Amino acid sequence: MQGLRKLQLITEAKKVCPDVIIVLGEDLTRFRDASKDLYNYLRAFSWNNKVERLGFDEVWMDVTDIVDYNLEILNSHDLQNSFFQISHDDPTSGFALDASHIAGHAYPATSAPTDGDADHSDFTDSSANHLSTRLLLGSHLAHHLRKQLHEHKNYTCTVGISISKLLSKLVGNIHKPNGQTTLLPPYDATPDQPHSNVASFLDNHDISAIPWIGFKLAQKLRAHFLGRAADFHDGLVYGKTKERITVGDMRALPDLGPEMLERLLGGPGLPRGIGARVYGLLHGIDDAEVRQARNVPRQISIEDSYVRLDTLAEVVAELTTLSRRLLARMQLDLTESHDGVDVDKRIETNEDEAAAVGTSSMPARWMAKPTMLRLTTRPRMPLQADGTRVRTFKRISRSAPLPSFTLDLPTHLDALTTRLVSESLLPLFRKLHPEKSGWNLSLVNVAVTEMVDCAGDERGRAGRDIKGMFGRQDGVLREFSVTEGEGSLEFENGSVLKDWEEEGGRSKQLDRDRAVDQNAVSEQSVELPLKAKIPRDEDQWHADFDEEDEDEGVGEDTFRCGQCGRTVPLFARDAHDRFHADGAD
DNA sequence: TAAGTCTAA
DNA sequence: CGATTTAGACTTA
């Protein structure tokens, strides 16, 4: 690694690495496919379908229901030989666990997490809502999922386990790229323990490390703390402050409160109640629900940026390219064949995209139809009198109903594209830029929005069995990362995209980056790392995998239940008996 | 409904 | 001189 960073200027990149190969444009298809595959794999483990994706490489899972169920069947008299039931209606499917110990790492760090000797006896207490035990169960579930992900998909990942999206995400940052961390209680301050683990964990974070406190909010908070405008790096590097203000700094302010923050942060375009929201975040409180998994996105957009785009011919050409890609994405992401298989699954099995899109023998139907079309541009400001240019990143947009011919699947994509450009996009463009010429665009985006679910689709598609729908596609990439909660299970990144993420102004270097052609890394060629297949080092992985690698699931020794006739592994016998005792089928 | 703001990876 | 690509939640008018 020679200091190449995400979003680096090409001139800078060439300075630090003269041999860098710049590839213009990018193709995120393989990232998108891998992301969807892993997401669907994880989704199949969920009972309540609360599985929320953030970007390509992070997932939250709310596993409260699974954990609560397993808390009930837990035998507190024989914690070492416990059984975790992973499937809601099959008491025999699951894994053995030692519930006298947490799985993986903890925050604050306890004695050696991997040697099995760490004493977590406090986890067996019978305090209020069994928080410790629930977190412990969450840690074992996370460990199981990570192991499954590795065995079946050949991905490693990082997980954080806590009670909210906020805390699971933050604590999941700790043991990258292949570890898990549970945020230990106490979560609340007590007279006995005035500093909860949540407070001590949060207080060292820079405020912009807190999810949902982005650049704008952070600058306002800093300005309030400093009593003056917060300085930041001018020019190209967007979103970098020069001031470090921590959560602890803010919390120490005597006047800090939800109302004060509402006045400080609120304003046009900002959500109401933002003051209370940020106040909560700074105190480790986050009530946001993990959202239910969706099978179609709410919007699809395609954009490209340009050095200069100022003739109508160029604009027409670019609109054509962009809208063709958009229509293809619509067909890919919003349709399924009549046998209920998504188009991308058909592509996988047909190996022929052209055959799968539009002309497949099994005709596709829409799961959801977009109803609006939006055209966005980013004009560059005209030259000032003094020859300088006002820098602006502002986008402007116009929208119109999406004509329904775009949803006609038998029609050839090129025909749809031509018609969409001439009948919808060019009119929108003229509305956006009434001048005959003189505009000069640095970006064009075409989007479809306002999806309407198609009848026959919403009938419980959320609950549809997606297990088994996903066959191959293993071993394409390496990484993902898992995060979990008591609570909320979060799967967090650690993926290739993230490897080059910049942190605190320097680039993070992970061991496996060495396997990648160092000259081939630039922000314009994010797909390159994918091509460098990282050899999987099983031993190292297990060493990293912070604990015993006993066989899980159904072992050799089983017994047949007299009551239900099911075959159950011996270690699960106690749990199974309790299953019946609890009045299950 | 339309256009814009902010946040995220 | 340069300037990412998408997606989602939410606001005001």
Side-chain angles (χ1 to χ4, degrees):
Chain A
M1 181 63 78
Q2 309 191 13
L4 296 179
R5 302 185 334 260
K6 173 170 95 172
L7 296 182
Q8 199 168 29
L9 297 181
I10 290 173
T11 51
E12 286 296 314
K14 284 182 174 166
K15 222 179 286 172
V16 294
C17 179
D19 298 330
V20 66
I21 298 167
I22 306 293
V23 179
L24 293 181
E26 72 292 309
D27 179 2
L28 300 178
T29 310
R30 301 179 70 211
F31 287 89
R32 190 157 33 232
D33 290 349
S35 172
K36 209 185 285 184
D37 181 41
L38 294 177
Y39 177 62
N40 285 327
Y41 183 75
L42 292 173
R43 223 177 122 171
F45 287 95
S46 177
W47 294 4
N48 57 19
N49 202 36
K50 291 182 182 175
V51 187
E52 181 179 345
R53 210 143 73 106
L54 185 54
F56 280 174
D57 63 356
E58 289 181 65
V59 174
W60 282 288
M61 289 181 75
D62 183 334
V63 295
T64 306
D65 52 349
I66 305 180
V67 164
D68 282 348
Y69 181 90
N70 279 276
L71 183 63
E72 275 184 37
I73 65 169
L74 189 67
N75 180 359
S76 55
H77 302 303
D78 190 10
L79 289 174
Q80 272 118 349
N81 302 295
S82 301
F83 180 74
F84 195 111
Q85 185 176 324
I86 197 77
S87 160
H88 172 15
D89 30 39
D90 179 4
T92 69
S93 83
F95 56 91
L97 77 153
D98 176 358
S100 64
H101 296 103
I102 193 174
H105 301 270
Y107 179 93
T110 53
S111 53
T114 55
D115 60 11
D117 290 334
D119 182 12
H120 291 281
S121 52
D122 58 320
F123 266 78
T124 63
D125 66 13
S126 55
S127 65
N129 56 353
H130 302 274
L131 177 59
S132 328
T133 313
R134 299 170 76 218
L135 289 167
L136 178 141
L137 288 171
S139 77
H140 284 277
L141 175 54
H143 184 264
H144 176 72
L145 293 180
R146 288 173 58 217
K147 196 163 179 177
Q148 297 301 304
L149 217 40
H150 183 242
E151 283 172 11
H152 293 108
K153 296 290 175 181
N154 205 17
Y155 275 79
T156 63
C157 58
T158 310
V159 186
I161 299 102
S162 189
I163 60 164
S164 66
K165 295 208 289 185
L166 169 72
L167 295 176
S168 61
K169 181 168 167 57
L170 283 178
V171 80
N173 287 333
I174 296 183
H175 290 285
K176 292 188 172 192
N178 182 19
Q180 61 177 81
T181 314
T182 304
L183 181 57
L184 298 179
Y187 278 24
D188 296 305
T190 59
D192 205 26
Q193 203 148 1
H195 283 312
S196 73
N197 284 340
V198 171
S200 63
F201 173 61
L202 278 182
D203 280 359
N204 295 324
H205 285 79
D206 186 284
I207 47 173
S208 49
I210 304 303
W212 308 293
I213 300 185
F215 181 74
K216 302 271 184 173
L217 293 182
Q219 287 297 89
K220 286 186 190 172
L221 291 171
R222 290 180 185 117
H224 175 78
F225 182 86
L226 296 165
R228 57 167 171 83
D231 202 1
F232 61 94
H233 292 289
D234 204 2
L236 314 172
V237 185
Y238 180 79
K240 284 272 184 277
T241 186
K242 283 182 175 172
E243 329 261 6
R244 175 182 158 88
I245 311 289
T246 65
V247 173
D249 291 336
M250 295 304 303
R251 282 160 51 99
L253 291 177
D255 64 337
L256 195 78
E259 304 80 11
M260 173 256 137
L261 287 173
E262 185 74 28
R263 285 193 300 275
L264 178 68
L265 305 173
L270 285 160
R272 240 183 298 263
I274 191 170
R277 171 96 173 112
V278 169
Y279 184 83
L281 293 176
L282 293 174
H283 290 77
I285 295 166
D286 170 25
D287 295 329
E289 288 279 320
V290 175
R291 307 182 86 88
Q292 292 262 337
R294 286 181 57 89
N295 38 48
V296 290
R298 297 187 180 282
Q299 58 172 280
I300 303 173
S301 67
I302 302 284
E303 74 185 29
D304 212 342
S305 57
Y306 309 91
V307 174
R308 181 178 191 83
L309 196 59
D310 55 4
T311 70
L312 190 59
E314 284 172 323
V315 167
V316 170
E318 292 307 321
L319 286 177
T320 304
T321 304
L322 293 172
S323 49
R324 193 192 181 287
R325 287 171 60 197
L326 181 64
L327 290 166
R329 277 285 303 284
M330 283 164 53
Q331 296 189 359
L332 204 60
D333 292 348
L334 302 179
T335 67
E336 64 178 1
S337 61
H338 283 294
D339 54 10
V341 179
D342 294 357
V343 168
D344 52 337
K345 290 295 138 190
R346 297 205 308 280
I347 290 172
E348 242 178 60
T349 48
N350 292 359
E351 298 126 19
D352 182 356
E353 181 160 355
V357 176
T359 61
S360 168
S361 58
M362 188 69 86
R365 67 144 182 263
W366 295 96
M367 294 184 282
K369 293 178 176 177
T371 59
M372 291 297 288
L373 176 71
R374 187 179 62 216
L375 176 66
T376 304
T377 64
R378 186 179 64 197
R380 9 174 53 187
M381 295 291 97
L383 278 172
Q384 305 285 101
D386 60 1
T388 62
R389 209 183 282 277
V390 177
R391 267 192 333 123
T392 173
F393 296 89
K394 281 210 187 332
R395 293 167 173 225
I396 52 176
S397 67
R398 294 295 180 269
S399 49
L402 178 72
S404 50
F405 71 78
T406 54
L407 304 175
D408 183 46
L409 289 168
T411 306
H412 195 274
L413 216 51
D414 292 332
L416 298 178
T417 304
T418 313
R419 230 184 125 186
L420 183 62
V421 170
S422 60
E423 294 180 21
S424 295
L425 288 171
L426 279 179
L428 281 177
F429 184 82
R430 290 194 196 95
K431 207 166 150 195
L432 210 44
H433 300 284
E435 314 82 19
K436 275 242 166 302
S437 64
W439 26 261
N440 177 5
L441 312 177
S442 61
L443 176 140
V444 178
N445 176 302
V446 185
V448 287
T449 62
E450 307 297 309
M451 310 291 180
V452 172
D453 283 333
C454 295
D457 182 55
E458 65 269 53
R459 42 102 189 143
R461 263 219 55 180
R464 194 178 69 174
D465 180 25
I466 58 175
K467 297 184 186 80
M469 277 179 53
F470 309 99
R472 338 154 344 202
Q473 192 169 344
D474 303 9
V476 182
L477 312 175
R478 307 156 283 152
E479 219 167 303
F480 211 64
S481 88
V482 192
T483 308
E484 203 219 334
E486 152 229 343
S488 80
L489 211 174
E490 173 189 345
F491 290 81
E492 239 236 308
N493 84 47
S495 91
V496 262
L497 278 174
K498 193 78 169 203
D499 293 351
W500 280 267
E501 176 179 274
E502 195 192 357
E503 253 189 16
R506 65 177 208 290
S507 101
K508 242 189 346 183
Q509 168 62 349
L510 301 174
D511 283 349
R512 51 189 196 291
D513 293 354
R514 288 191 218 109
V516 177
D517 178 359
Q518 302 192 344
N519 292 333
V521 181
S522 87
E523 89 281 5
Q524 292 288 350
S525 60
V526 280
E527 83 276 20
L528 283 174
L530 278 182
K531 291 176 185 154
K533 180 141 180 177
I534 306 305
R536 156 177 166 190
D537 183 340
E538 194 76 29
D539 293 339
Q540 185 52 48
W541 194 86
H542 280 296
D544 293 346
F545 203 74
D546 55 42
E547 65 171 88
E548 78 280 347
D549 29 26
E550 306 295 354
D551 240 13
E552 301 180 337
V554 179
E556 307 259 316
D557 302 325
T558 58
F559 82 105
R560 193 176 164 78
C561 175
Q563 273 188 74
C564 65
R566 274 183 272 232
T567 305
V568 181
L570 270 188
F571 61 71
R573 179 162 196 163
D574 278 1
H576 187 82
D577 290 344
R578 262 170 280 121
F579 173 77
H580 284 299
D582 289 351
D585 67 324

